[in-house]
Amino acid sequence: PDAVSRPRQVNPLYEGTFVFPNDFPALQPDAPEPGDSDHPLFQAAAARGVCKVMCFHPWSDLTLPLMSLAEIRAVIDAWAELAAELGASYPWVQIFENKGAMMGCSNPHPHCQVWASSFLPNEARLEDRTQRQHLSQHGVPMLLEYAEQEARRKERLVVENADWLVVVPYWATWPYQTLLLPRRHVCRLQDLRDSERDSLASIMQRLLIKYDNLFEVSFPYSMGWHGAPTGPYLEEDCRHWQLHAHYYPPLLRSATVRKFMVGYEMLAQAQRDLTPEQAAERLRSLPEVHYKKRSK
């Protein structure tokens, strides 16, 4: 659940980011072992972990695109700190933000969640396998090569700076889906240099302002960071991994008309309403001054 309010508890005064345990955690560190299965079709294992919530800012109406670069940088530092702290023991630390009621967010105070798990979830396993295969077959990390190709081709590029680029990925299924990639080979958030954290704050602000400007609404999305696994994997070779963030926004034609992944999409294969090149061109052409801050 996307609950930020803490029943019968008062948060301390905070001036920046504020992290606290989720009151309704999906994962707990002491989850019991399931009993033995009586059939191979019914297999279960304990899923252990911790779930935290992080408020971005004490102001309850200040979303990331309206925050200052210094405030966004503080969020990035808090992400990296949590990734390192929880990653010291847990194999997977999933940082994600559900933004907007359309994405099931039940509290309007801008925040994200961090779930650390004792196992690699499905998406992480798939990305681990495909990136490992690409490195062994081609000798270069897949997303590093992909970023270089997209930077050169430019047709799916949305925004870029010296350290980062945002593209509508070649395989995008959501209309305005984007992928945020570093230009340098970086495995994990906590590996980012000081200057790369500053430039990340800048490119996130630029992307999210464009998102809000698209339909002049606080743009809903689910986003999340993927990086090399941690915990026991810290001792292993994870060079095949490249840090990246996915943004999955549901809006299609206006502030209220969304894309539904139903019918054929659920049962067969996703259908595109516009090409990645069309989506990128639309986002690229949007102003980088937030519509709320434009002089009337």
Side-chain angles (χ1 to χ4, degrees):
D2 229 332
V4 175
S5 59
R6 311 195 65 196
R8 296 176 298 282
Q9 295 185 45
V10 178
N11 290 336
L13 286 173
Y14 60 98
E15 295 177 353
T17 60
F18 176 61
V19 179
F20 59 90
N22 193 321
D23 294 306
F24 308 99
L27 297 162
Q28 296 183 335
D30 53 357
E33 283 288 347
D36 292 337
S37 170
D38 63 353
H39 193 281
L41 289 177
F42 302 96
Q43 299 290 324
R48 299 189 174 95
V50 294
C51 298
K52 293 182 179 287
V53 177
M54 186 175 103
C55 293
F56 295 144
H57 193 278
W59 294 5
S60 62
D61 60 346
L62 205 62
T63 56
L64 283 169
L66 293 168
M67 286 164 57
S68 71
L69 289 176
E71 289 165 341
I72 299 172
R73 168 66 199 263
V75 170
I76 292 162
D77 287 338
W79 281 342
E81 200 175 307
L82 277 169
E85 177 194 320
L86 296 169
S89 52
Y90 286 105
W92 191 253
V93 181
Q94 184 59 65
I95 296 168
F96 65 97
E97 179 192 2
N98 293 328
K99 180 168 178 269
M102 197 175 278
M103 298 310 290
C105 183
S106 57
N107 192 301
H109 193 136
H111 67 283
C112 70
Q113 297 190 57
V114 185
W115 293 13
S117 62
S118 60
F119 58 93
L120 288 192
N122 292 348
E123 290 293 314
R125 284 184 183 277
L126 180 61
E127 288 196 3
D128 186 66
R129 187 170 75 243
T130 53
Q131 289 180 101
R132 192 185 295 275
Q133 284 171 349
H134 190 92
L135 182 65
S136 69
Q137 290 170 6
H138 303 279
V140 60
M142 180 173 72
L143 289 177
L144 187 65
E145 182 178 3
Y146 178 70
E148 288 168 356
Q149 285 289 322
E150 290 287 34
R152 186 171 60 79
R153 295 168 187 258
K154 296 197 182 303
E155 58 192 333
R156 285 171 294 274
L157 195 65
V158 178
V159 282
E160 64 177 329
N161 61 25
D163 302 313
W164 300 87
L165 64 154
V166 175
V167 299
V168 177
Y170 184 70
W171 57 87
T173 52
W174 292 94
Y176 294 100
Q177 177 179 336
T178 54
L179 182 68
L180 170 57
L181 292 159
R183 295 182 190 270
R184 179 175 74 91
H185 186 204
V186 185
C187 286
R188 301 176 177 96
L189 263 174
Q190 51 269 46
D191 301 334
L192 292 174
R193 298 168 180 155
D194 205 54
S195 59
E196 289 169 331
R197 295 180 185 204
D198 282 339
S199 56
L200 174 56
S202 172
I203 205 160
M204 279 175 56
Q205 186 189 61
R206 292 169 65 198
L207 170 65
L208 297 178
I209 285 173
K210 282 181 178 289
Y211 268 165
D212 279 13
N213 284 344
L214 179 60
F215 299 124
E216 298 203 345
V217 66
S218 187
F219 204 67
Y221 58 74
S222 277
M223 72 79 66
W225 285 98
H226 282 169
T230 46
Y233 294 90
L234 292 169
E235 306 302 316
E236 295 187 15
D237 183 358
C238 288
R239 280 176 305 160
H240 55 291
W241 270 91
Q242 173 74 326
L243 176 71
H244 59 281
H246 297 279
Y247 285 83
Y248 298 118
L251 293 180
L252 175 59
R253 278 188 288 274
S254 73
T256 54
V257 177
R258 61 172 297 176
K259 160 96 173 165
F260 287 97
M261 289 288 190
V262 294
Y264 192 86
E265 277 101 345
M266 290 178 76
L267 294 157
Q269 186 170 315
Q271 298 300 293
R272 289 174 170 171
D273 297 88
L274 65 168
T275 67
E277 294 77 18
Q278 288 169 329
E281 186 177 10
R282 179 106 191 257
L283 291 170
R284 202 166 45 237
S285 66
L286 289 164
E288 294 192 6
V289 175
H290 199 279
Y291 72 93
K292 287 187 175 178
K293 293 185 175 179
R294 272 181 235 148
S295 53
K296 298 296 179 191

